[in-house]
Amino acid sequence: NEPCQPGNTETRKDTMCLFSKEMPQIETRVVLVQEAGKHEELLKALETIKIMEVPVIKIKKTSPGKSEEKLIKSIIHMEIKVPYIKTDTLEELGDSDSPEFETIFVVSDFQDSIFSNLCKADCRVIGPPVVLHCAQKGEPLPFSCRPLYCASMLNLVLCFTGFRKKEELVKLVTLVHHMGGIIRRDFSSKVTHLVANSTHGDKFRIAVSLGTPILKAEWIYKAWEKRNEILCLNTDDDFRNQFKVPPFQDCMLSFLGFSDDEKANMEEMTEMQGGHYLPVGDERCTHLVVEESTVKDLPFEPLKKLYVVKQEWFWGSIQMDARAGESMYLFEKSESPGLKKSVSLLSLSTPNSNRKRRRLKETLAQLTRETDMSPFPPRKRPSAEHSLSIGSLLDISNTPESSTTNGETPKSCARPSKNSTPLPLKQSARWQVAKELYQTESNYVDILTTIIQLFQVPLEKEGQLGGPILAQEEIKTIFGSIPDILDVHTKIKEDLEDLMMNWTESKSIGDIILKYSKDLLKTYPPFVNFFEMSKETITRCEKQKPRFHAFLKINQAKPECGRQSLAELLIRPVQRLPSVALLLNDIKKHTAEENPDKVTLERAIESLKEVMTHINEDKRKTEAQRQFFDVVYEVDGCPANLLSSHRSLVQRLETVALGDDLCDRGEQVTLFLFNDCLEIARKRHKVIGVFKSPHGHTRPPASLKHVVLMPLSQIKKVLDIRETEDCHKAFALVVRPPTELNNKLLSFQMTTEEPPKEDWLKMLCRHVANTICKADAENLIYTADPDSVEVNTKDMDSTLSRASRAIKKTSKKVTRAFSFSKTPKRALRRALMSHSATEGRSPSSANESYIGSRLTSTSSLAGIPSPSLVNLPSVFEKRSHTLSRSTTHLI
């Protein structure tokens, strides 16, 4: 307990015989006053207590010849010979203040006049709960220089801040003393609890930094209400947590730059955490929380008293369960350009078409050059101290290795490259796809490292401010075998890096996968099979635990996460093996038959399929499969390899082509976005016949024609074309197949209102980033002026344009109807023989009939009945040369 005597004193506990030779004889006694003597449980408890603490003071001179004296205060244990004495008035004792007696008064009511009289007489006073506590613990009756009613705050050291009324503070301090607590005027590391009436001041800031619990005054009042219960507030966290000072007490918050859903969520969290929210610009506001990625400047000049903070302050306060210091999170105006980069300076204003094409080529090259991932680091001068890491040059995002996280780094993280010798840039298609495999593997390792360093390690860290955010069982359920998966893929990455740095066509890529196939089989199924449980655990904990929700929000805003949630990052292992299998299959296509790696790659692909077969069949979504078949039936000529158990349809988009690369300008084009590829199909000019399934169900005929199935990894940039008078709802893709050396520009105009263009482009970039295992999806989007990439939509809706496109389509139909290669030869010969036999014409006339019959047959096969096909032989005789040239040109 707190020392009570001023001056130079020492305090210690000794045995009964310490001062037995020097001290006078003292009689110990316990006196039950009024109602306390009627407490049956109390009487039984006193019969079991045989010892009490007694204070003894000895005066000792420091040295001979000096008048200075030293007080030695000791506490000794003395036997209680008489269990208790009952009394109704103090006058009955008469000798209550006699030094021959050490008397403890047990009083039930600390508000009674008898209690006041005992305090004035400086008597030892305790409450019944102290007696019951000592009997339960087998301890002696304690000595306290102040009245002690109960021991619920025993060993607690409290400090107060923010209380302006002296009467209230005195009352609180008195109650703390009655419950055995100690008060400190100044805050120090010995303080166990801070009782705060305000979230301002140095004491509050120090308590937050040390993780000291900060509680309301109601905690003390409620504890006093429970004074007759035997409880220890030092260990009762559930009771204490009811009275924590919420992070946003005394705070009026406004939110700027957030979406409606985010703002509603944050306003709800504000009220849950003890604060209030106001509209932006309200003078009563104490904090303006800003989304720094979207807000570059404030719409008004803030008052001096207003804190303008980043959203990390908001979520950090909730995570710490206390208001964070604003100085670390102040919002500053951004001087750098936003995430979307502009290529408007690359405008092609020259009228020369060749120069335009050259400048357009340079524009596309520049767009991809900034982030094009070369697997070979540039040569450094001999004086360079360290060789460059190949991984650092492949990833333009901030890697977790540069982030400041506490905890042990996984053993597979941040290993340097073995070699930095560059190879010639001109390589085969096999090398190009192998490079892509290495690049995606390197990015995948970085993302797994981010998951562990930013999420798992901090959650497992001991001594978290405010206590553990999640239980260990929940952490294990969420992350599963991610560390083991990371270790395997780090080894694969290192082997691929060595192969790429020492590349020859005979190098075996399949051997690397086969080398680790058993490890993949061991680590992947446990994670993938329980991935749904992992997601459910995240969702449940995020709803039930605001600190975990805030923890996720803080990390999601960090650049290495690319603004992805933990659940979105954790889906990467589910997608990785199918993606590797597709790349290996692509490498096999570009591998010569005599290359031994051809067979090895087939074995490697089979080994990956074996791993994937161990993934529960119920993970395959039947709804996604149904959508697949709908696409296959709707798109004529749809590639069979589109059907895959790992693939899912994300979005369908109706557009009009603005270029001539894939099909004619102005043609209606449908884009099917899957999680790893983009199916591009155009509208069929004429639908013929119907499709009947083997089960007899009639399906509508295919309304679309397959153009190309493009892996998302071939999309290097997504261009958001600015809205102008001549250009509306346009966007473009900068693509480069692995067999091409130059980029291609595919431009489209959206023809529907849903989804909005911005949402579509973000969705597309997110899945492109997922496919190449990159986190920074927003860096794939560039904003471009229409003139810089020669895109416009001004003629898409004009009457003349529609008529022109209709004529072009009709001319193609007629050309195909006149095509000599469309009709089977045997059918034409039969028609020729039949016609010759009937008419008996000469060979020359028969030849003319042959041509006419073939044209007529072709016309009927094409299903295009037309009056213009009557008497075609005579017409064709005059115009055969012209039609032939036209046919050749259009074909």
Side-chain angles (χ1 to χ4, degrees):
N1 289 299
E2 187 179 9
C4 325
Q5 299 292 336
N8 188 11
T9 64
E10 294 179 0
T11 303
R12 72 175 184 269
K13 287 188 176 182
D14 286 313
T15 60
M16 291 171 51
C17 60
L18 181 64
F19 293 116
S20 59
K21 295 181 181 179
E22 304 177 13
M23 59 183 266
Q25 292 296 320
I26 300 176
E27 185 179 341
T28 59
R29 60 186 181 181
V30 178
V31 179
L32 303 177
V33 182
Q34 295 180 346
E35 295 299 322
K38 303 175 184 178
H39 198 311
E40 292 296 331
E41 188 179 359
L42 182 61
L43 299 180
K44 291 180 182 179
L46 281 172
E47 291 177 358
T48 65
I49 299 174
K50 303 299 182 182
I51 299 173
M52 67 164 32
E53 294 180 349
V54 178
V56 177
I57 298 176
K58 179 182 178 181
I59 301 175
K60 180 181 178 181
K61 291 185 178 181
T62 55
S63 59
K66 293 185 177 180
S67 60
E68 293 182 11
E69 295 176 340
K70 189 176 184 181
L71 300 180
I72 301 177
K73 177 184 175 183
S74 297
I75 304 252
I76 65 172
H77 291 175
M78 295 188 69
E79 184 180 357
I80 303 173
K81 296 181 180 179
V82 180
Y84 53 83
I85 301 171
K86 295 182 180 181
T87 183
D88 289 331
T89 63
L90 296 179
E91 288 76 13
E92 293 180 9
L93 293 177
D95 52 2
S96 60
D97 58 345
S98 172
E100 297 178 3
F101 296 95
E102 183 65 26
T103 307
I104 295 179
F105 294 90
V106 182
V107 181
S108 297
D109 187 1
F110 271 31
Q111 306 297 324
D112 195 271
S113 58
I114 292 180
F115 171 77
S116 301
N117 294 333
L118 288 171
C119 291
K120 289 177 182 178
D122 199 22
C123 298
R124 290 178 62 179
V125 183
I126 62 174
V130 174
V131 179
L132 298 174
H133 172 82
C134 292
Q136 187 183 64
K137 299 290 185 180
E139 298 174 351
L141 293 177
F143 168 77
S144 175
C145 59
R146 298 187 181 90
L148 181 65
Y149 187 86
C150 64
S152 56
M153 285 194 177
L154 204 62
N155 301 322
L156 300 191
V157 182
L158 276 63
C159 186
F160 290 85
T161 183
F163 291 89
R164 303 297 182 188
K165 297 179 180 179
K166 184 178 180 181
E167 297 80 9
E168 182 183 12
L169 186 59
V170 169
K171 183 179 180 181
L172 290 169
V173 169
T174 301
L175 293 179
V176 171
H177 284 150
H178 287 348
M179 291 183 283
I182 301 171
I183 304 296
R184 290 282 183 261
R185 181 184 299 274
D186 299 320
F187 193 91
S188 68
S189 59
K190 294 182 179 179
V191 173
T192 59
H193 298 76
L194 178 68
V195 182
N197 197 38
S198 169
T199 57
H200 304 282
D202 294 337
K203 291 181 181 179
F204 186 89
R205 288 280 154 254
I206 297 173
V208 170
S209 64
L210 294 178
T212 305
I214 304 172
L215 306 172
K216 302 176 184 177
E218 286 78 5
W219 174 61
I220 298 175
Y221 292 129
K222 196 67 177 179
W224 181 247
E225 289 180 15
K226 294 176 173 288
R227 60 187 179 275
N228 290 315
E229 300 177 17
I230 300 177
L231 52 85
C232 179
L233 298 184
N234 194 26
T235 56
D236 195 344
D237 292 336
D238 292 337
F239 177 76
R240 181 187 66 192
N241 289 340
Q242 299 176 41
F243 305 99
K244 277 189 173 182
V245 173
F248 302 133
Q249 179 173 301
D250 306 328
C251 295
M252 299 283 188
L253 275 56
S254 295
F255 302 95
L256 180 64
F258 299 93
S259 67
D260 292 341
D261 290 341
E262 287 177 319
K263 185 179 177 183
N265 177 37
M266 296 175 82
E267 289 174 346
E268 181 182 354
M269 295 293 291
T270 298
E271 292 190 329
M272 286 176 57
Q273 301 300 325
H276 302 280
Y277 61 88
L278 297 168
V280 174
D282 195 305
E283 292 185 355
R284 295 171 296 169
C285 182
T286 60
H287 295 75
L288 177 62
V289 183
V290 176
E291 167 56 282
E292 60 272 20
S293 65
T294 59
V295 177
K296 302 309 174 187
D297 201 359
L298 299 180
F300 61 92
E301 186 65 29
L303 300 175
K304 289 185 178 180
K305 67 176 183 179
L306 178 66
Y307 289 108
V308 183
V309 293
K310 304 174 185 176
Q311 65 166 326
E312 190 176 356
W313 171 84
F314 179 86
W315 298 115
S317 298
I318 297 176
Q319 181 187 330
M320 292 191 300
D321 210 10
R323 177 179 156 191
E326 290 84 1
S327 59
M328 295 176 58
Y329 304 98
L330 293 177
F331 171 77
E332 296 177 357
K333 295 179 182 179
S334 177
E335 300 297 333
S336 59
L339 285 177
K340 287 192 175 185
K341 306 168 186 66
S342 173
V343 293
S344 59
L345 296 178
L346 301 171
S347 176
L348 308 177
S349 56
T350 171
N352 185 294
S353 59
N354 291 330
R355 184 180 296 180
K356 278 188 177 182
R357 283 193 291 271
R358 186 170 62 252
R359 292 288 299 275
L360 177 59
K361 183 178 178 180
E362 292 173 358
T363 299
L364 300 182
Q366 180 170 337
L367 282 170
T368 53
R369 191 180 301 125
E370 296 178 14
T371 54
D372 203 12
M373 302 177 291
S374 169
F376 306 114
R379 291 184 183 272
K380 291 194 72 179
R381 59 183 184 278
S383 61
E385 197 169 67
H386 302 286
S387 63
L388 287 176
S389 167
I390 189 170
S392 65
L393 292 173
L394 293 176
D395 193 356
I396 61 172
S397 66
N398 294 322
T399 63
E401 296 163 16
S402 62
S403 62
T404 55
T405 54
N406 296 320
E408 182 181 354
T409 302
K411 60 185 178 181
S412 57
C413 300
R415 294 181 181 173
S417 298
K418 300 175 183 177
N419 198 328
S420 60
T421 304
L423 287 181
L425 293 178
K426 207 169 183 180
Q427 292 291 345
S428 63
R430 172 178 158 87
W431 180 89
Q432 293 281 356
V433 185
K435 179 189 74 169
E436 183 179 340
L437 174 63
Y438 170 73
Q439 291 167 348
T440 57
E441 189 70 16
S442 177
N443 296 335
Y444 179 57
V445 167
D446 286 342
I447 285 177
L448 293 179
T449 305
T450 295
I451 293 172
I452 291 176
Q453 289 189 344
L454 283 191
F455 294 95
Q456 185 174 1
V457 170
L459 287 173
E460 292 177 341
K461 181 184 175 183
E462 296 182 359
Q464 300 173 34
L465 292 178
I469 296 176
L470 293 181
Q472 286 298 320
E473 298 78 15
E474 293 168 331
I475 297 173
K476 181 63 179 175
T477 303
I478 290 173
F479 296 100
S481 58
I482 286 288
D484 299 326
I485 294 174
L486 173 60
D487 287 335
V488 175
H489 279 275
T490 301
K491 296 172 184 176
I492 294 176
K493 171 197 167 186
E494 290 173 349
D495 287 359
L496 286 173
E497 179 180 332
D498 184 69
L499 179 143
M500 294 301 296
M501 299 302 291
N502 302 281
W503 174 264
T504 61
E505 288 294 322
S506 61
K507 289 279 186 179
S508 177
I509 300 169
D511 281 339
I512 296 177
I513 305 301
L514 290 173
K515 179 181 176 181
Y516 299 102
S517 59
K518 291 183 179 179
D519 294 327
L520 295 173
L521 183 59
K522 181 180 178 182
T523 57
Y524 266 92
F527 179 83
V528 177
N529 287 343
F530 292 96
F531 175 67
E532 292 301 324
M533 185 183 298
S534 174
K535 284 201 305 182
E536 291 169 3
T537 304
I538 293 173
T539 303
R540 174 176 53 80
C541 291
E542 196 171 2
K543 289 180 179 178
Q544 297 176 356
K545 302 183 178 184
R547 292 180 60 212
F548 180 60
H549 178 70
F551 172 80
L552 295 181
K553 285 289 185 179
I554 291 171
N555 287 303
Q556 182 177 329
K558 293 180 179 177
E560 48 265 53
C561 285
R563 297 193 171 275
Q564 293 182 89
S565 66
L566 176 59
E568 290 172 327
L569 291 173
L570 285 174
I571 203 173
R572 297 304 180 83
V574 180
Q575 301 170 335
R576 181 57 186 164
L577 291 187
S579 177
V580 173
L582 289 175
L583 287 170
L584 291 180
N585 200 48
D586 206 4
I587 294 172
K588 189 182 77 170
K589 289 179 182 177
H590 298 291
T591 301
E593 292 294 334
E594 62 273 12
N595 193 326
D597 196 31
K598 187 91 170 181
V599 177
T600 311
L601 283 169
E602 291 178 357
R603 291 172 51 208
I605 295 169
E606 288 301 317
S607 71
L608 291 181
K609 289 181 180 178
E610 181 184 356
V611 177
M612 288 184 278
T613 56
H614 283 75
I615 297 172
N616 292 341
E617 287 297 322
D618 57 0
K619 302 300 177 186
R620 310 185 192 279
K621 300 178 181 178
T622 56
E623 178 61 24
Q625 296 298 315
R626 187 190 64 79
Q627 292 176 339
F628 266 127
F629 284 106
D630 288 344
V631 174
V632 171
Y633 290 134
E634 187 176 4
V635 179
D636 182 27
C638 184
N641 61 359
L642 178 67
L643 291 172
S644 178
S645 60
H646 77 277
R647 187 169 288 140
S648 59
L649 179 64
V650 177
Q651 182 68 49
R652 172 183 178 143
L653 185 72
E654 302 297 335
T655 69
V656 170
L658 298 179
D660 295 320
D661 292 272
L662 296 176
C663 50
D664 290 335
R665 173 180 169 83
E667 280 206 79
Q668 297 180 30
V669 175
T670 302
L671 306 181
F672 295 96
L673 175 62
F674 294 89
N675 58 302
D676 64 343
C677 63
L678 183 69
E679 165 65 19
I680 302 178
R682 62 171 175 79
K683 185 177 181 180
R684 294 190 64 171
H685 300 150
K686 187 77 173 181
V687 178
I688 304 172
V690 294
F691 173 80
K692 202 166 188 177
S693 69
H695 301 287
H697 301 294
T698 303
R699 285 185 170 271
S703 59
L704 301 173
K705 180 71 175 177
H706 167 72
V707 176
V708 65
L709 178 62
M710 180 188 302
L712 294 184
S713 59
Q714 294 182 10
I715 300 177
K716 304 304 178 183
K717 285 295 172 187
V718 177
L719 302 186
D720 182 3
I721 310 299
R722 284 196 177 94
E723 295 292 314
T724 65
E725 186 178 348
D726 294 334
C727 191
H728 302 287
K729 300 175 68 174
F731 69 94
L733 308 178
V734 181
V735 302
R736 185 169 64 203
T739 54
E740 298 287 338
L741 295 178
N742 297 322
N743 301 315
K744 291 184 177 181
L745 184 73
L746 310 180
S747 53
F748 306 90
Q749 180 188 25
M750 298 175 62
T751 58
T752 57
E753 297 298 327
E754 292 293 333
K757 185 172 78 166
E758 182 181 2
D759 294 349
W760 157 254
L761 296 180
K762 285 183 178 180
M763 186 190 311
L764 175 60
C765 289
R766 168 55 50 218
H767 287 280
V768 172
N770 289 351
T771 302
I772 63 176
C773 290
K774 296 282 287 182
D776 49 350
E778 292 185 359
N779 283 350
L780 292 169
I781 303 180
Y782 274 58
T783 303
D785 288 328
D787 292 341
S788 66
V789 287
E790 295 185 312
V791 171
N792 70 79
T793 63
K794 62 183 179 181
D795 61 335
M796 286 295 104
D797 299 319
S798 65
T799 305
L800 181 60
S801 174
R802 287 195 295 269
S804 174
R805 292 198 298 270
I807 292 172
K808 182 182 289 188
K809 292 176 184 177
T810 304
S811 67
K812 280 197 168 188
K813 292 177 187 176
V814 174
T815 302
R816 284 194 292 270
F818 281 85
S819 172
F820 294 133
S821 60
K822 296 282 284 187
T823 309
K825 292 181 179 179
R826 285 179 297 174
L828 290 175
R829 286 174 181 170
R830 282 196 295 270
L832 176 62
M833 292 172 62
S834 174
H835 186 74
S836 298
T838 304
E839 300 292 335
R841 293 184 180 176
S842 64
S844 60
S845 62
N847 190 36
E848 290 179 5
S849 299
Y850 175 90
I851 297 174
S853 299
R854 182 167 186 174
L855 289 173
T856 307
S857 175
T858 305
S859 175
S860 63
L861 285 170
I864 310 176
S866 173
S868 62
L869 295 179
V870 180
N871 297 325
L872 279 176
S874 59
V875 175
F876 184 80
E877 186 177 4
K878 298 177 182 179
R879 302 183 181 180
S880 60
H881 181 65
T882 305
L883 286 172
S884 178
R885 285 190 302 170
S886 174
T887 302
T888 304
H889 173 70
L890 289 171
I891 291 175

